[in-house]
Amino acid sequence: NAGVTQTPKFQVLKTGQSMTLQCAQDMNHEYMSWYRQDPGMGLRLIHYSVGAGITDQGEVPNGYNVSRSTTEDFPLRLLSAAPSQTSVYFCASSALLLGEQYFGPGTRLTVT
Amino acid sequence: AQSVTQPDIHITVSEGASLELRCNYSYGATPYLFWYVQSPGQGLQLLLKYFSGDTLVQGIKGFEAEFKRSQSSFNLRKPSVHWSDAAEYFCAVGAGSGGAQKLVFGQGTRLTINP
């Protein structure tokens, strides 16, 4: 069991570039989510999904897109990166009825 | 809207001393409450959770937390800390239609252990 995996671990982008952060889980969890972590602000929910084909916005969705075509994968897309998106991004998953979220190791993104 | 406050940004304790990390939440209904720990450069790991029932919950690594509805608090405690407990600790509340899933996190408390 790999749990929740994220790629890449580190990424540097220039303003205006696009990229996709990958997230996969092998626990057959229905719920998946993306958070960003900034100093002094804890983690903030970007987008989440309660199952394949179903996504919704969290607290800070602007500038990010998601889709959920399979149970296992939940990629996060930055269409036009901005310096304000410099952050550490965490993906998490959980079984809907249990609530405990399992977090990936994170992706550190820098936008210059 | 729901919110979580961790009043202490940084706490330093000596190895072997007791620990209490504070967490206050704001939420209208019965909350789902969590404590997570993050070691440097790592993801978050669940320490314990409260959904209902006994207000004193036990977690991993010798941690416990007590839910006090009257004070809107969910403080984390450990009787004797070890150097390996140095990390950042996050309190979170699961709220809204997502129940336990849509988490709102506090700002975090960084714990330093003196030898």
Side-chain angles (χ1 to χ4, degrees), chain A residues 31 35 37 40-45 48 57 90 94-105, chain B residues 34 36 38 41-46 49 51 88 90 97-98 100-108:
Chain A
Y31 183 85
Y35 295 87
Q37 183 178 26
M41 302 188 72
L43 280 78
R44 292 178 292 168
L45 183 64
Y48 68 97
Q57 297 180 349
F90 289 98
S94 71
L96 272 178
L97 295 180
L98 297 179
E100 174 181 350
Q101 295 200 29
Y102 293 83
F103 283 80
Chain B
F34 304 82
Y36 283 86
Q38 184 181 31
Q42 303 294 315
L44 278 71
Q45 180 184 23
L46 181 69
K49 61 187 177 186
F51 283 4
E88 189 148 21
F90 292 93
S97 59
Q101 274 71 37
K102 288 181 65 177
L103 297 182
V104 175
F105 284 84
Q107 302 92 323

Side-chain angles (χ1 to χ4, degrees), chain B residues 17-73:
Chain B
S18 63
L19 172 70
E20 182 169 28
L21 302 183
R22 296 183 291 164
C23 172
N24 294 99
Y25 68 90
S26 172
Y27 184 59
T30 300
Y32 300 104
L33 294 163
F34 304 82
W35 274 100
Y36 283 86
V37 61
Q38 184 181 31
S39 297
Q42 303 294 315
L44 278 71
Q45 180 184 23
L46 181 69
L47 285 175
L48 46 78
K49 61 187 177 186
Y50 171 78
F51 283 4
S52 64
D54 193 348
T55 57
L56 184 64
V57 294
Q58 303 296 321
I60 63 172
K61 305 184 181 187
F63 286 92
E64 66 177 27
E66 186 172 12
F67 170 58
K68 293 185 177 180
R69 184 188 302 276
S70 62
Q71 299 177 18
S72 297
S73 69

